[in-house]
């Protein structure tokens, strides 16, 4: 109608002919909606084509200061192609453009730190450090093989995490937990992912040690800061845990009261505003501990992007500081869209690596004051002897009404033993060990 002023949703506004609206979309999966036809007709569609990864990688590598970037880009793109074809299909794997870009940026940072190292080694380390954390046990082996094929004869030195590793071990021991190598490795991988991505997902079933991982790391970087070791990442750390699925969308992000038209802030907005107002360089981790679902996570897209903006419905924008990290603690990403998966760094905690034994050892040590050393060893011995076979039997031969992870069966076993042995009316731990061990054994069989 070429009007200069027109009515829009009940109020008159003026039209500025130079203002333009763009819609970027890649619909066709959960959490994204198609445009309605009457709106679609008013926009001119432009189809985009698949980007040329090799060329993009080459240009970024040049700009990060690599000289042999043509060959390296070729090898890298080949590697991602092989990974997407050869490795198992997991919900949390993503070998798209964002993954490539984060590796390139990481490679650039490594190149500047180690100007004397060969470019092959630098790129391999970037590829390894940013991809290994998310792989399952068997995929990790395959990935190492692919790397060796693409870069024949290049030896990658293991990185030395002197102070960091010592401090992690000290924190674990202080928390009266067991030192398990795979877990320490995961904590270090989590730390490395945190350095390159501001959105990190800890993926793994219940009892695989997700919570312990971030708590230990938080304590470690705080301690290293107190010890006065200068490193940009070693700062005091505060974390805020919330479960986004336990509340409605309005309670999470804020909403407008329909009656009074007042704006009320949501939990996420309040937490992040509090973090942003802190002017020091302390770390703030906002931890979303709960299942990811297509609705609430899609609203985090601008946060997890390079924009680092939380955009609220009252058109307020909160810009993140470099010290705020979003951490998601999830069991799986079955309903997350590709947009979400590609925006986050993934650390996968495989329960096969940690197993249940560390839990039992920790549990036993908490009761060690009540019993003699040989009794403790005896209990541990029967655990080692029978539990693994028992679990295998249950998975193969029995019908389980409710599926459980292995560690929760073991937890229940420990709880039962605890109430029967260490509760009121339990056996006397000072009696003759022969009699006592028979009692313990029968109780164990029952439990």
């Amino acid at each position: 109608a070429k009007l200069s002023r027109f009515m829009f949703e009940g109020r008159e506004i003026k039209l500025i002919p130079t203002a333009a609206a763009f819609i970027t979309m890649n619909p066709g999966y959960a959490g994204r909606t198609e445009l309605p036809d009457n709106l679609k007709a008013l926009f001119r569609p432009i189809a985009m084509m698949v980007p040329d990864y090799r060329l993009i990688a080459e240009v970024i590598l040049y700009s990060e200061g690599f000289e042999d970037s043509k060959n390296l880009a070729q090898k890298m793109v080949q590697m991602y192609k092989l990974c997407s074809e050869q490795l198992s299909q997991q919900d949390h794997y993503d070998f798209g453009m964002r993954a490539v870009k984060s590796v390139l940026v990481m490679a650039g940072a490594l190149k500047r730190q180690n100007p004397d190292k060969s470019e092959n080694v630098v790129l391999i380390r970037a590829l390894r450090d940013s991809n290994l954390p998310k792989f399952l046990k068997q995929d990790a082996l395959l990935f190492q093989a692919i790397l060796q094929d693409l870069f024949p004869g290049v030896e990658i030195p293991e990185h030395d995490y002197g102070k960091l590793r010592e401090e992690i071990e000290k924190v674990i021991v202080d928390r009266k937990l067991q030192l398990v190598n795979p877990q320490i490795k995961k904590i270090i991988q989590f730390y490395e992912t945190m350095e390159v991505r501001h959105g990190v997902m800890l993926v793994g079933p219940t009892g695989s040690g997700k919570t312990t991982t971030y708590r230990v790391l938080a304590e470690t970087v705080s301690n290293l800061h107190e010890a006065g070791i200068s490193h940009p990442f070693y700062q005091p750390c505060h974390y805020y845990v919330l479960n986004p699925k336990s509340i409605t969308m309005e309670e999470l992000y804020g909403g407008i009261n329909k009656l009074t038209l007042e704006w009320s802030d949501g939990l996420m907005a309040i937490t992040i505003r509090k973090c942003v107002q802190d002017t020091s360089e302390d770390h703030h981790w906002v931890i979303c501990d709960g299942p990811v679902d297509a609705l609430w996570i899609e609203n985090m897209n601008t946060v997890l992007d390079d924009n680092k903006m939380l955009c609220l419905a009252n058109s307020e924008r909160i810009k993140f500081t470099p010290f705020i990290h979003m951490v998601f603690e999830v069991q799986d990403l079955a309903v997350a869209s590709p947009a979400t998966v590609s925006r986050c760094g993934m650390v996968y905690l495989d329960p096969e690596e940690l197993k249940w034994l560390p839990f039992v050892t920790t549990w036993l040590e908490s009761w060690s004051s009540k019993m003699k050393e040989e009794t403790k060893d005896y209990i541990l011995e029967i655990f080692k002897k029978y539990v693994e076979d028992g679990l295998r039997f249950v998975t193969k031969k029995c019908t389980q009404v409710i599926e459980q992870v292995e560690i929760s069966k073991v937890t229940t076993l420990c709880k039962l033993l605890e109430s029967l042995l260490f509760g009121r009316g339990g056996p006397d731990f000072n009696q003759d060990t022969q009699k006592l061990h028979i009692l313990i054994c029968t109780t164990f069989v029952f439990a």
Side-chain angles (χ1 to χ4, degrees), residues 219-229 234-237:
E219 203 173 312
T220 305
V221 290
S222 304
N223 291 355
L224 285 170
H225 174 74
E226 275 171 31
I229 298 166
Y234 300 162
Q235 296 294 344
C237 180

Side-chain angles (χ1 to χ4, degrees), residues 383-413:
F383 263 101
K384 284 178 181 166
K385 202 165 171 185
Y386 299 110
V387 170
E388 200 49 57
D389 295 343
L391 289 171
R392 211 170 303 126
F393 178 82
V394 170
T395 13
K396 284 193 172 157
K397 303 276 198 312
C398 308
T399 1
Q400 301 181 58
V401 185
I402 300 173
E403 284 288 325
Q404 263 184 320
V405 286
E406 292 191 343
I407 196 158
S408 66
K409 292 189 181 66
V410 180
T411 315
T412 317
L413 168 64

Side-chain angles (χ1 to χ4, degrees), residues 166-197:
E166 280 168 34
E167 189 57 49
I168 288 175
E169 287 174 5
K170 190 172 149 290
V171 170
I172 292 178
V173 173
D174 288 350
R175 286 173 166 257
K176 297 193 171 47
L177 300 173
Q178 307 308 309
L179 290 170
V180 189
N181 217 13
Q183 188 175 37
I184 297 173
K185 226 159 68 192
K186 279 294 167 201
I187 295 173
I188 291 176
Q189 287 179 348
F190 178 53
Y191 158 76
E192 290 200 317
T193 314
M194 283 284 229
E195 281 198 302
V196 283
R197 295 283 189 98

Side-chain angles (χ1 to χ4, degrees), residues 6-244:
F6 66 103
M7 294 298 286
F8 179 73
E9 290 198 345
R11 55 182 187 175
E12 190 182 26
I13 60 172
K14 75 173 192 196
L15 175 72
I16 305 167
T18 52
F22 290 87
I23 301 176
T24 57
M25 50 194 295
N26 42 354
Y29 54 80
R32 291 289 171 97
T33 44
E34 288 280 355
L35 285 182
D37 284 342
N38 55 356
L39 181 63
K40 211 186 240 174
L42 302 174
F43 282 83
R44 171 180 142 200
I46 301 172
M48 309 294 284
M49 53 192 269
V50 179
D52 177 356
Y53 283 55
R54 197 190 57 73
L55 191 64
I56 293 173
E58 192 182 321
V59 171
I60 295 180
L61 280 172
Y62 270 131
S63 71
E64 293 283 1
F66 284 80
E67 285 162 27
D68 185 21
S69 78
K70 201 172 186 111
N71 287 334
L72 294 177
Q74 184 76 48
K75 284 184 174 179
M76 183 173 163
V77 172
Q78 192 58 39
M79 194 204 92
Y80 272 100
K81 189 162 168 275
L82 283 169
C83 283
S84 54
E85 289 164 5
Q86 307 279 333
L87 303 183
S88 63
Q89 298 292 314
Q90 301 291 330
D91 294 320
H92 63 273
Y93 287 1
D94 162 68
F95 300 112
M97 192 68 239
R98 276 200 187 89
V100 173
K101 189 167 179 293
S102 74
V103 170
L104 294 171
V105 172
M106 185 178 183
L110 283 174
K111 168 97 175 142
R112 287 185 286 281
Q113 280 165 20
N114 317 303
D116 49 335
K117 293 234 170 75
S118 91
E119 295 187 345
N120 270 340
V121 174
V122 171
L123 185 67
I124 293 181
R125 217 191 116 196
L127 283 168
R128 192 190 58 182
D129 292 352
S130 58
N131 283 312
L132 264 187
K134 67 181 172 199
F135 289 139
L136 276 67
K137 208 171 172 181
Q138 66 270 22
D139 282 342
L141 296 169
L142 234 158
F143 173 75
Q144 302 262 32
I146 292 177
L147 263 187
Q148 270 158 0
D149 285 353
L150 280 172
F151 298 91
V154 181
E155 270 299 304
I156 327 164
E158 275 300 315
H159 193 58
D160 176 36
Y161 296 99
K163 278 277 185 285
L164 180 70
R165 196 183 169 112
E166 280 168 34
E167 189 57 49
I168 288 175
E169 287 174 5
K170 190 172 149 290
V171 170
I172 292 178
V173 173
D174 288 350
R175 286 173 166 257
K176 297 193 171 47
L177 300 173
Q178 307 308 309
L179 290 170
V180 189
N181 217 13
Q183 188 175 37
I184 297 173
K185 226 159 68 192
K186 279 294 167 201
I187 295 173
I188 291 176
Q189 287 179 348
F190 178 53
Y191 158 76
E192 290 200 317
T193 314
M194 283 284 229
E195 281 198 302
V196 283
R197 295 283 189 98
H198 64 282
V200 183
M201 289 203 173
L202 287 165
V203 188
T206 319
S208 55
K210 300 188 288 291
T211 310
T212 311
T213 301
Y214 78 73
R215 285 187 181 161
V216 168
L217 185 65
E219 203 173 312
T220 305
V221 290
S222 304
N223 291 355
L224 285 170
H225 174 74
E226 275 171 31
I229 298 166
S230 69
H231 183 287
F233 201 85
Y234 300 162
Q235 296 294 344
C237 180
H238 315 277
Y239 48 83
Y240 312 90
V241 188
L242 68 148
N243 176 359

Side-chain angles (χ1 to χ4, degrees), residues 221-289:
V221 290
S222 304
N223 291 355
L224 285 170
H225 174 74
E226 275 171 31
I229 298 166
S230 69
H231 183 287
F233 201 85
Y234 300 162
Q235 296 294 344
C237 180
H238 315 277
Y239 48 83
Y240 312 90
V241 188
L242 68 148
N243 176 359
K245 273 303 273 180
S246 60
I247 50 180
T248 63
M249 289 286 277
E250 289 199 346
E251 288 167 331
L252 184 61
Y253 291 114
I256 291 174
N257 186 332
K258 296 281 185 301
L259 296 171
T260 57
L261 294 182
E262 275 181 317
W263 169 262
S264 55
D265 259 334
L267 257 182
M268 185 71 80
I270 294 170
T271 314
I272 288 176
R273 199 175 288 123
K274 184 179 159 197
C275 301
V276 172
Q277 279 162 1
D278 180 17
T279 49
S280 69
E281 293 194 353
D282 291 10
H283 282 299
H284 295 278
W285 298 352
V286 180
I287 295 166
C288 299
D289 182 353

